[in-house]
mmCIF file of all heavy atoms in Angstrom:
data_model
loop_
_atom_site.group_PDB
_atom_site.id
_atom_site.type_symbol
_atom_site.label_atom_id
_atom_site.label_comp_id
_atom_site.label_asym_id
_atom_site.label_seq_id
_atom_site.Cartn_x
_atom_site.Cartn_y
_atom_site.Cartn_z
ATOM 1 N N GLN A 201 81.656 -251.723 33.056
ATOM 2 C CA GLN A 201 80.418 -250.969 32.781
ATOM 3 C C GLN A 201 79.235 -251.997 32.815
ATOM 4 O O GLN A 201 79.211 -252.907 31.983
ATOM 5 C CB GLN A 201 80.449 -250.264 31.420
ATOM 6 C CG GLN A 201 79.359 -249.252 31.222
ATOM 7 C CD GLN A 201 79.654 -248.320 30.073
ATOM 8 O OE1 GLN A 201 80.216 -248.769 29.008
ATOM 9 N NE2 GLN A 201 79.348 -247.026 30.181
ATOM 10 N N VAL A 202 78.384 -251.845 33.783
ATOM 11 C CA VAL A 202 77.241 -252.768 33.933
ATOM 12 C C VAL A 202 75.938 -251.973 34.081
ATOM 13 O O VAL A 202 75.954 -250.780 34.458
ATOM 14 C CB VAL A 202 77.393 -253.666 35.192
ATOM 15 C CG1 VAL A 202 78.514 -254.651 34.981
ATOM 16 C CG2 VAL A 202 77.649 -252.842 36.411
ATOM 17 N N GLN A 203 74.851 -252.589 33.711
ATOM 18 C CA GLN A 203 73.561 -251.949 33.795
ATOM 19 C C GLN A 203 72.896 -252.220 35.149
ATOM 20 O O GLN A 203 73.093 -253.268 35.745
ATOM 21 C CB GLN A 203 72.659 -252.450 32.639
ATOM 22 C CG GLN A 203 73.163 -252.085 31.234
ATOM 23 C CD GLN A 203 72.245 -252.530 30.136
ATOM 24 O OE1 GLN A 203 71.113 -252.899 30.411
ATOM 25 N NE2 GLN A 203 72.716 -252.540 28.922
ATOM 26 N N PHE A 204 72.022 -251.292 35.550
ATOM 27 C CA PHE A 204 71.231 -251.471 36.734
ATOM 28 C C PHE A 204 69.977 -250.608 36.679
ATOM 29 O O PHE A 204 69.895 -249.666 35.886
ATOM 30 C CB PHE A 204 72.043 -251.138 38.004
ATOM 31 C CG PHE A 204 72.561 -249.709 38.030
ATOM 32 C CD1 PHE A 204 71.800 -248.643 38.522
ATOM 33 C CD2 PHE A 204 73.814 -249.462 37.517
ATOM 34 C CE1 PHE A 204 72.315 -247.348 38.517
ATOM 35 C CE2 PHE A 204 74.324 -248.158 37.503
ATOM 36 C CZ PHE A 204 73.576 -247.106 37.992
ATOM 37 N N ASP A 205 69.002 -250.991 37.460
ATOM 38 C CA ASP A 205 67.752 -250.228 37.489
ATOM 39 C C ASP A 205 68.031 -248.881 38.209
ATOM 40 O O ASP A 205 68.537 -248.886 39.326
ATOM 41 C CB ASP A 205 66.691 -251.013 38.252
ATOM 42 C CG ASP A 205 65.320 -250.357 38.173
ATOM 43 O OD1 ASP A 205 65.172 -249.155 38.422
ATOM 44 O OD2 ASP A 205 64.365 -251.066 37.780
ATOM 45 N N PRO A 206 67.741 -247.755 37.574
ATOM 46 C CA PRO A 206 68.095 -246.477 38.177
ATOM 47 C C PRO A 206 67.376 -246.174 39.476
ATOM 48 O O PRO A 206 67.760 -245.284 40.211
ATOM 49 C CB PRO A 206 67.690 -245.450 37.078
ATOM 50 C CG PRO A 206 66.737 -246.185 36.166
ATOM 51 C CD PRO A 206 67.164 -247.633 36.240
ATOM 52 N N HIS A 207 66.287 -246.920 39.762
ATOM 53 C CA HIS A 207 65.579 -246.690 41.003
ATOM 54 C C HIS A 207 66.448 -246.953 42.235
ATOM 55 O O HIS A 207 66.167 -246.431 43.299
ATOM 56 C CB HIS A 207 64.310 -247.601 41.083
ATOM 57 C CG HIS A 207 63.220 -247.131 40.174
ATOM 58 N ND1 HIS A 207 63.074 -247.588 38.875
ATOM 59 C CD2 HIS A 207 62.192 -246.270 40.405
ATOM 60 C CE1 HIS A 207 61.994 -247.015 38.341
ATOM 61 N NE2 HIS A 207 61.427 -246.243 39.262
ATOM 62 N N ILE A 208 67.467 -247.809 42.095
ATOM 63 C CA ILE A 208 68.327 -248.084 43.230
ATOM 64 C C ILE A 208 69.004 -246.829 43.758
ATOM 65 O O ILE A 208 69.205 -246.658 44.971
ATOM 66 C CB ILE A 208 69.378 -249.174 42.893
ATOM 67 C CG1 ILE A 208 70.066 -249.676 44.163
ATOM 68 C CG2 ILE A 208 70.349 -248.693 41.883
ATOM 69 C CD1 ILE A 208 69.173 -250.417 45.148
ATOM 70 N N LYS A 209 69.303 -245.908 42.857
ATOM 71 C CA LYS A 209 69.929 -244.653 43.288
ATOM 72 C C LYS A 209 69.035 -243.891 44.211
ATOM 73 O O LYS A 209 69.471 -243.209 45.152
ATOM 74 C CB LYS A 209 70.425 -243.820 42.096
ATOM 75 C CG LYS A 209 71.255 -242.627 42.482
ATOM 76 C CD LYS A 209 71.820 -241.887 41.296
ATOM 77 C CE LYS A 209 72.647 -240.701 41.768
ATOM 78 N NZ LYS A 209 73.225 -239.979 40.600
ATOM 79 N N ARG A 210 67.718 -243.896 43.947
ATOM 80 C CA ARG A 210 66.788 -243.230 44.784
ATOM 81 C C ARG A 210 66.860 -243.729 46.196
ATOM 82 O O ARG A 210 66.802 -242.993 47.177
ATOM 83 C CB ARG A 210 65.389 -243.399 44.188
ATOM 84 C CG ARG A 210 64.232 -242.772 45.053
ATOM 85 C CD ARG A 210 62.917 -243.375 44.647
ATOM 86 N NE ARG A 210 62.877 -244.809 44.931
ATOM 87 C CZ ARG A 210 61.978 -245.627 44.414
ATOM 88 N NH1 ARG A 210 61.010 -245.185 43.611
ATOM 89 N NH2 ARG A 210 61.984 -246.942 44.732
ATOM 90 N N ASP A 211 66.928 -245.042 46.349
ATOM 91 C CA ASP A 211 66.961 -245.667 47.674
ATOM 92 C C ASP A 211 68.283 -245.391 48.379
ATOM 93 O O ASP A 211 68.292 -245.141 49.583
ATOM 94 C CB ASP A 211 66.712 -247.171 47.570
ATOM 95 C CG ASP A 211 65.347 -247.500 46.993
ATOM 96 O OD1 ASP A 211 64.386 -246.772 47.348
ATOM 97 O OD2 ASP A 211 65.251 -248.405 46.160
ATOM 98 N N ILE A 212 69.360 -245.416 47.609
ATOM 99 C CA ILE A 212 70.661 -245.102 48.233
ATOM 100 C C ILE A 212 70.691 -243.643 48.651
ATOM 101 O O ILE A 212 71.185 -243.315 49.694
ATOM 102 C CB ILE A 212 71.782 -245.440 47.235
ATOM 103 C CG1 ILE A 212 71.774 -246.931 46.908
ATOM 104 C CG2 ILE A 212 73.137 -245.070 47.812
ATOM 105 C CD1 ILE A 212 72.690 -247.315 45.780
ATOM 106 N N GLN A 213 70.131 -242.749 47.809
ATOM 107 C CA GLN A 213 70.095 -241.335 48.165
ATOM 108 C C GLN A 213 69.294 -241.128 49.429
ATOM 109 O O GLN A 213 69.703 -240.342 50.340
ATOM 110 C CB GLN A 213 69.428 -240.551 47.003
ATOM 111 C CG GLN A 213 69.353 -239.065 47.237
ATOM 112 C CD GLN A 213 70.753 -238.417 47.290
ATOM 113 O OE1 GLN A 213 71.419 -238.393 46.254
ATOM 114 N NE2 GLN A 213 71.193 -237.956 48.452
ATOM 115 N N ALA A 214 68.185 -241.794 49.595
ATOM 116 C CA ALA A 214 67.385 -241.677 50.853
ATOM 117 C C ALA A 214 68.202 -242.153 52.054
ATOM 118 O O ALA A 214 68.107 -241.548 53.110
ATOM 119 C CB ALA A 214 66.081 -242.454 50.717
ATOM 120 N N TYR A 215 68.980 -243.198 51.861
ATOM 121 C CA TYR A 215 69.795 -243.711 52.956
ATOM 122 C C TYR A 215 70.884 -242.675 53.317
ATOM 123 O O TYR A 215 71.144 -242.418 54.495
ATOM 124 C CB TYR A 215 70.447 -245.020 52.509
ATOM 125 C CG TYR A 215 71.448 -245.599 53.460
ATOM 126 C CD1 TYR A 215 71.038 -246.373 54.561
ATOM 127 C CD2 TYR A 215 72.835 -245.380 53.271
ATOM 128 C CE1 TYR A 215 71.976 -246.898 55.454
ATOM 129 C CE2 TYR A 215 73.740 -245.917 54.176
ATOM 130 C CZ TYR A 215 73.321 -246.675 55.233
ATOM 131 O OH TYR A 215 74.230 -247.179 56.101
ATOM 132 N N TYR A 216 71.529 -242.107 52.324
ATOM 133 C CA TYR A 216 72.566 -241.111 52.578
ATOM 134 C C TYR A 216 71.960 -239.891 53.225
ATOM 135 O O TYR A 216 72.596 -239.299 54.115
ATOM 136 C CB TYR A 216 73.306 -240.738 51.285
ATOM 137 C CG TYR A 216 74.485 -241.674 51.001
ATOM 138 C CD1 TYR A 216 74.295 -242.999 50.604
ATOM 139 C CD2 TYR A 216 75.798 -241.202 51.120
ATOM 140 C CE1 TYR A 216 75.353 -243.833 50.364
ATOM 141 C CE2 TYR A 216 76.861 -242.020 50.868
ATOM 142 C CZ TYR A 216 76.644 -243.329 50.479
ATOM 143 O OH TYR A 216 77.712 -244.180 50.233
ATOM 144 N N ASP A 217 70.797 -239.459 52.795
ATOM 145 C CA ASP A 217 70.146 -238.275 53.406
ATOM 146 C C ASP A 217 69.892 -238.539 54.886
ATOM 147 O O ASP A 217 69.894 -237.615 55.714
ATOM 148 C CB ASP A 217 68.839 -237.998 52.670
ATOM 149 C CG ASP A 217 69.058 -237.450 51.285
ATOM 150 O OD1 ASP A 217 70.188 -237.018 50.994
ATOM 151 O OD2 ASP A 217 68.113 -237.433 50.474
ATOM 152 N N ARG A 218 69.604 -239.793 55.241
ATOM 153 C CA ARG A 218 69.254 -240.114 56.636
ATOM 154 C C ARG A 218 70.472 -240.252 57.503
ATOM 155 O O ARG A 218 70.508 -239.807 58.665
ATOM 156 C CB ARG A 218 68.459 -241.405 56.658
ATOM 157 C CG ARG A 218 68.061 -241.837 58.030
ATOM 158 C CD ARG A 218 67.263 -243.165 58.027
ATOM 159 N NE ARG A 218 66.897 -243.588 59.372
ATOM 160 C CZ ARG A 218 66.324 -244.769 59.648
ATOM 161 N NH1 ARG A 218 66.035 -245.601 58.634
ATOM 162 N NH2 ARG A 218 66.049 -245.089 60.873
ATOM 163 N N PHE A 219 71.592 -240.837 57.018
ATOM 164 C CA PHE A 219 72.694 -241.179 57.852
ATOM 165 C C PHE A 219 74.003 -240.383 57.632
ATOM 166 O O PHE A 219 74.889 -240.450 58.394
ATOM 167 C CB PHE A 219 72.987 -242.659 57.705
ATOM 168 C CG PHE A 219 71.914 -243.555 58.208
ATOM 169 C CD1 PHE A 219 71.099 -244.249 57.369
ATOM 170 C CD2 PHE A 219 71.686 -243.683 59.576
ATOM 171 C CE1 PHE A 219 70.076 -245.056 57.824
ATOM 172 C CE2 PHE A 219 70.702 -244.527 60.070
ATOM 173 C CZ PHE A 219 69.885 -245.209 59.187
ATOM 174 N N TYR A 220 74.069 -239.711 56.496
ATOM 175 C CA TYR A 220 75.279 -238.908 56.195
ATOM 176 C C TYR A 220 74.948 -237.431 56.117
ATOM 177 O O TYR A 220 73.774 -237.064 55.876
ATOM 178 C CB TYR A 220 75.925 -239.341 54.857
ATOM 179 C CG TYR A 220 76.565 -240.647 54.827
ATOM 180 C CD1 TYR A 220 75.802 -241.860 54.610
ATOM 181 C CD2 TYR A 220 77.948 -240.813 54.970
ATOM 182 C CE1 TYR A 220 76.433 -243.089 54.632
ATOM 183 C CE2 TYR A 220 78.531 -242.050 54.980
ATOM 184 C CZ TYR A 220 77.803 -243.190 54.790
ATOM 185 O OH TYR A 220 78.394 -244.425 54.754
ATOM 186 N N ASN A 221 75.921 -236.597 56.354
ATOM 187 C CA ASN A 221 75.710 -235.155 56.160
ATOM 188 C C ASN A 221 76.429 -234.639 54.887
ATOM 189 O O ASN A 221 76.764 -233.451 54.823
ATOM 190 C CB ASN A 221 76.101 -234.340 57.419
ATOM 191 C CG ASN A 221 77.546 -234.641 57.812
ATOM 192 O OD1 ASN A 221 78.320 -235.232 57.066
ATOM 193 N ND2 ASN A 221 77.926 -234.190 59.018
ATOM 194 N N LEU A 222 76.681 -235.550 53.961
ATOM 195 C CA LEU A 222 77.247 -235.194 52.681
ATOM 196 C C LEU A 222 76.313 -235.736 51.612
ATOM 197 O O LEU A 222 75.671 -236.779 51.820
ATOM 198 C CB LEU A 222 78.649 -235.776 52.492
ATOM 199 C CG LEU A 222 79.766 -235.178 53.313
ATOM 200 C CD1 LEU A 222 81.057 -235.951 53.158
ATOM 201 C CD2 LEU A 222 80.011 -233.679 52.964
ATOM 202 N N SER A 223 76.315 -235.108 50.467
ATOM 203 C CA SER A 223 75.495 -235.601 49.334
ATOM 204 C C SER A 223 76.064 -236.883 48.781
ATOM 205 O O SER A 223 77.289 -237.110 48.818
ATOM 206 C CB SER A 223 75.458 -234.504 48.223
ATOM 207 O OG SER A 223 74.968 -235.058 47.040
ATOM 208 N N LEU A 224 75.185 -237.676 48.243
ATOM 209 C CA LEU A 224 75.626 -238.939 47.586
ATOM 210 C C LEU A 224 76.614 -238.642 46.482
ATOM 211 O O LEU A 224 77.562 -239.420 46.263
ATOM 212 C CB LEU A 224 74.410 -239.636 47.032
ATOM 213 C CG LEU A 224 74.654 -240.980 46.296
ATOM 214 C CD1 LEU A 224 75.259 -241.991 47.249
ATOM 215 C CD2 LEU A 224 73.312 -241.504 45.760
ATOM 216 N N ASP A 225 76.466 -237.514 45.807
ATOM 217 C CA ASP A 225 77.381 -237.202 44.736
ATOM 218 C C ASP A 225 78.798 -236.953 45.203
ATOM 219 O O ASP A 225 79.776 -237.040 44.413
ATOM 220 C CB ASP A 225 76.900 -235.922 43.981
ATOM 221 C CG ASP A 225 75.608 -236.188 43.226
ATOM 222 O OD1 ASP A 225 75.356 -237.364 42.875
ATOM 223 O OD2 ASP A 225 74.845 -235.221 43.009
ATOM 224 N N ASN A 226 78.971 -236.646 46.505
ATOM 225 C CA ASN A 226 80.331 -236.483 47.028
ATOM 226 C C ASN A 226 81.095 -237.777 47.006
ATOM 227 O O ASN A 226 82.356 -237.736 47.080
ATOM 228 C CB ASN A 226 80.272 -235.941 48.462
ATOM 229 C CG ASN A 226 79.871 -234.467 48.576
ATOM 230 O OD1 ASN A 226 78.703 -234.185 48.757
ATOM 231 N ND2 ASN A 226 80.815 -233.565 48.393
ATOM 232 N N PHE A 227 80.424 -238.878 46.905
ATOM 233 C CA PHE A 227 81.089 -240.176 46.990
ATOM 234 C C PHE A 227 81.306 -240.805 45.629
ATOM 235 O O PHE A 227 82.058 -241.813 45.498
ATOM 236 C CB PHE A 227 80.314 -241.137 47.880
ATOM 237 C CG PHE A 227 80.286 -240.747 49.321
ATOM 238 C CD1 PHE A 227 79.234 -239.919 49.773
ATOM 239 C CD2 PHE A 227 81.221 -241.153 50.220
ATOM 240 C CE1 PHE A 227 79.221 -239.515 51.139
ATOM 241 C CE2 PHE A 227 81.214 -240.762 51.537
ATOM 242 C CZ PHE A 227 80.174 -239.971 52.016
ATOM 243 N N ALA A 228 80.722 -240.242 44.578
ATOM 244 C CA ALA A 228 80.859 -240.827 43.267
ATOM 245 C C ALA A 228 82.126 -240.269 42.618
ATOM 246 O O ALA A 228 82.490 -239.105 42.836
ATOM 247 C CB ALA A 228 79.644 -240.451 42.394
ATOM 248 N N VAL A 229 82.782 -241.105 41.826
ATOM 249 C CA VAL A 229 84.042 -240.717 41.158
ATOM 250 C C VAL A 229 83.734 -240.159 39.795
ATOM 251 O O VAL A 229 83.127 -240.849 38.938
ATOM 252 C CB VAL A 229 85.008 -241.903 41.042
ATOM 253 C CG1 VAL A 229 86.258 -241.505 40.302
ATOM 254 C CG2 VAL A 229 85.311 -242.459 42.450
ATOM 255 N N GLY A 230 84.084 -238.948 39.520
ATOM 256 C CA GLY A 230 83.975 -238.350 38.204
ATOM 257 C C GLY A 230 85.348 -238.019 37.647
ATOM 258 O O GLY A 230 86.356 -238.517 38.133
ATOM 259 N N ASP A 231 85.387 -237.101 36.698
ATOM 260 C CA ASP A 231 86.688 -236.741 36.123
ATOM 261 C C ASP A 231 87.273 -235.449 36.741
ATOM 262 O O ASP A 231 88.344 -235.011 36.353
ATOM 263 C CB ASP A 231 86.627 -236.599 34.570
ATOM 264 C CG ASP A 231 85.628 -235.525 34.174
ATOM 265 O OD1 ASP A 231 84.783 -235.149 34.967
ATOM 266 O OD2 ASP A 231 85.735 -235.094 33.008
ATOM 267 N N VAL A 232 86.542 -234.819 37.659
ATOM 268 C CA VAL A 232 87.006 -233.572 38.279
ATOM 269 C C VAL A 232 88.230 -233.903 39.141
ATOM 270 O O VAL A 232 88.213 -234.832 39.934
ATOM 271 C CB VAL A 232 85.877 -232.967 39.141
ATOM 272 C CG1 VAL A 232 86.427 -231.723 39.860
ATOM 273 C CG2 VAL A 232 84.667 -232.602 38.277
ATOM 274 N N GLY A 233 89.264 -233.118 38.969
ATOM 275 C CA GLY A 233 90.505 -233.315 39.755
ATOM 276 C C GLY A 233 91.555 -234.084 39.035
ATOM 277 O O GLY A 233 92.680 -234.149 39.496
ATOM 278 N N PHE A 234 91.240 -234.740 37.918
ATOM 279 C CA PHE A 234 92.209 -235.499 37.184
ATOM 280 C C PHE A 234 92.835 -234.623 36.116
ATOM 281 O O PHE A 234 92.159 -233.783 35.529
ATOM 282 C CB PHE A 234 91.576 -236.746 36.553
ATOM 283 C CG PHE A 234 91.021 -237.746 37.498
ATOM 284 C CD1 PHE A 234 89.660 -237.758 37.765
ATOM 285 C CD2 PHE A 234 91.895 -238.606 38.204
ATOM 286 C CE1 PHE A 234 89.152 -238.706 38.707
ATOM 287 C CE2 PHE A 234 91.386 -239.486 39.120
ATOM 288 C CZ PHE A 234 90.020 -239.521 39.393
ATOM 289 N N ASN A 235 94.144 -234.834 35.893
ATOM 290 C CA ASN A 235 94.792 -234.043 34.849
ATOM 291 C C ASN A 235 94.362 -234.487 33.450
ATOM 292 O O ASN A 235 94.426 -233.696 32.521
ATOM 293 C CB ASN A 235 96.336 -234.210 34.977
ATOM 294 C CG ASN A 235 96.866 -233.540 36.258
ATOM 295 O OD1 ASN A 235 96.304 -232.522 36.662
ATOM 296 N ND2 ASN A 235 97.903 -234.136 36.830
ATOM 297 N N GLN A 236 93.922 -235.724 33.323
ATOM 298 C CA GLN A 236 93.427 -236.234 32.069
ATOM 299 C C GLN A 236 91.917 -235.986 31.928
ATOM 300 O O GLN A 236 91.237 -235.784 32.949
ATOM 301 C CB GLN A 236 93.712 -237.712 31.923
ATOM 302 C CG GLN A 236 95.184 -238.074 32.042
ATOM 303 C CD GLN A 236 95.329 -239.531 32.570
ATOM 304 O OE1 GLN A 236 95.255 -239.765 33.730
ATOM 305 N NE2 GLN A 236 95.522 -240.441 31.637
ATOM 306 N N THR A 237 91.416 -236.017 30.723
ATOM 307 C CA THR A 237 89.969 -235.942 30.551
ATOM 308 C C THR A 237 89.387 -237.287 30.989
ATOM 309 O O THR A 237 90.071 -238.277 31.156
ATOM 310 C CB THR A 237 89.591 -235.701 29.090
ATOM 311 O OG1 THR A 237 89.969 -236.855 28.277
ATOM 312 C CG2 THR A 237 90.282 -234.454 28.537
ATOM 313 N N ASP A 238 88.073 -237.319 31.117
ATOM 314 C CA ASP A 238 87.381 -238.517 31.576
ATOM 315 C C ASP A 238 87.688 -239.696 30.617
ATOM 316 O O ASP A 238 87.971 -240.835 31.083
ATOM 317 C CB ASP A 238 85.870 -238.253 31.615
ATOM 318 C CG ASP A 238 85.120 -239.335 32.390
ATOM 319 O OD1 ASP A 238 85.559 -239.723 33.443
ATOM 320 O OD2 ASP A 238 84.090 -239.775 31.883
ATOM 321 N N ASN A 239 87.622 -239.474 29.319
ATOM 322 C CA ASN A 239 87.886 -240.526 28.361
ATOM 323 C C ASN A 239 89.343 -240.977 28.361
ATOM 324 O O ASN A 239 89.621 -242.146 28.019
ATOM 325 C CB ASN A 239 87.491 -240.089 26.957
ATOM 326 C CG ASN A 239 85.949 -239.991 26.799
ATOM 327 O OD1 ASN A 239 85.191 -240.633 27.522
ATOM 328 N ND2 ASN A 239 85.548 -239.141 25.854
ATOM 329 N N GLU A 240 90.246 -240.087 28.725
ATOM 330 C CA GLU A 240 91.645 -240.511 28.774
ATOM 331 C C GLU A 240 91.966 -241.285 30.068
ATOM 332 O O GLU A 240 92.719 -242.224 30.056
ATOM 333 C CB GLU A 240 92.554 -239.248 28.760
ATOM 334 C CG GLU A 240 92.584 -238.530 27.387
ATOM 335 C CD GLU A 240 93.358 -237.261 27.483
ATOM 336 O OE1 GLU A 240 93.447 -236.656 28.580
ATOM 337 O OE2 GLU A 240 93.878 -236.812 26.459
ATOM 338 N N ARG A 241 91.333 -240.895 31.186
ATOM 339 C CA ARG A 241 91.645 -241.501 32.462
ATOM 340 C C ARG A 241 91.011 -242.858 32.623
ATOM 341 O O ARG A 241 91.613 -243.794 33.148
ATOM 342 C CB ARG A 241 91.245 -240.581 33.609
ATOM 343 C CG ARG A 241 91.487 -241.127 35.018
ATOM 344 C CD ARG A 241 92.961 -241.425 35.230
ATOM 345 N NE ARG A 241 93.182 -242.327 36.320
ATOM 346 C CZ ARG A 241 94.266 -243.093 36.477
ATOM 347 N NH1 ARG A 241 95.225 -243.070 35.575
ATOM 348 N NH2 ARG A 241 94.379 -243.880 37.507
ATOM 349 N N PHE A 242 89.753 -242.998 32.199
ATOM 350 C CA PHE A 242 89.015 -244.270 32.459
ATOM 351 C C PHE A 242 88.755 -245.013 31.155
ATOM 352 O O PHE A 242 88.315 -244.447 30.178
ATOM 353 C CB PHE A 242 87.663 -243.906 33.152
ATOM 354 C CG PHE A 242 87.874 -243.314 34.514
ATOM 355 C CD1 PHE A 242 87.741 -241.952 34.721
ATOM 356 C CD2 PHE A 242 88.159 -244.121 35.622
ATOM 357 C CE1 PHE A 242 87.913 -241.379 35.947
ATOM 358 C CE2 PHE A 242 88.344 -243.549 36.879
ATOM 359 C CZ PHE A 242 88.238 -242.208 37.058
#
């Protein structure tokens, strides 16, 4: 767990909007699809 300036996500989002046809959120790992809860899995 590390900190970063949230503005970087805006720039990455703009990049994905330009070059990908999937949302940036499609590439982030969450707890959806895991049998365990988020706190149990990670």
Side-chain angles (χ1 to χ4, degrees):
Q201 194 165 38
V202 291
Q203 297 182 14
F204 57 89
D205 190 307
H207 285 91
I208 190 67
K209 187 173 181 180
R210 176 198 64 194
D211 297 320
I212 299 170
Q213 181 67 67
Y215 174 83
Y216 272 71
D217 289 344
R218 180 180 178 188
F219 294 107
Y220 288 84
N221 55 13
L222 290 173
S223 166
L224 181 60
D225 292 336
N226 287 95
F227 294 90
V229 178
D231 61 341
V232 177
F234 297 101
N235 292 326
Q236 302 154 277
T237 67
D238 193 46
N239 288 336
E240 290 174 333
R241 178 60 199 155
F242 295 100

